[in-house]
């Protein structure tokens, strides 16, 4: 469910014209969906709202975590788990 929900957010921000025909966990956010910095911020905020999380300022969102849908989903999954654990 994390992947599908995240993909929906990204596709909504990117729009149909910039959504690749084939999307999987390795699809890059910048070079695949052509998201710019403002759109990346929109994705981050929408993910926080969608998953009821707040990304930490100390390392959740770095260049590597925002590389592909898969890397972003892993950060979301970890943040959800730590939020549920009360961390």
């Amino acid at each position: 469910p994390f992947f599908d929900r995240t993909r929906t957010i990204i596709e909504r921000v990117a729009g149909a014209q910039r959504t690749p025909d084939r999307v999987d966990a390795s699809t890059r956010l910048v070079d695949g969906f052509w998201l710019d910095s403002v759109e990346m911020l929109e994705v981050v905020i929408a993910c926080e709202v969608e998953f009821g999380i707040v990304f930490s300022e100390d390392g959740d969102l770095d260049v590597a975590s925002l590389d592909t849908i898969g890397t972003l989903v892993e950060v979301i999954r970890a943040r959800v788990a730590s939020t549920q654990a009360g961390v």
Side-chain angles (χ1 to χ4, degrees):
F2 288 108
F3 179 85
D4 292 335
R5 291 163 64 190
T6 304
R7 177 183 175 166
T8 298
I9 290 167
I10 294 166
E11 288 178 352
R12 183 178 66 236
V13 171
Q17 295 82 5
R18 291 185 294 153
T19 296
D21 293 333
R22 182 178 164 274
V23 175
D24 59 27
S26 67
T27 303
R28 300 193 64 185
L29 300 179
V30 174
D31 297 334
F33 285 97
W34 301 102
L35 299 179
D36 62 24
S37 58
V38 172
E39 292 162 330
M40 290 294 282
L41 179 59
E42 288 179 49
V43 167
V44 166
I45 293 169
C47 286
E48 287 183 327
V49 171
E50 175 71 20
F51 296 102
I53 58 174
V54 176
F55 292 110
S56 78
E57 296 176 20
D58 58 337
D60 273 350
L61 301 175
D62 58 14
V63 173
S65 64
L66 294 172
D67 186 39
T68 67
I69 293 179
T71 56
L72 178 57
V73 167
E74 288 307 311
V75 172
I76 291 168
R77 185 175 284 120
R79 181 53 48 200
V80 168
S82 67
T83 299
Q84 292 173 344
V87 176

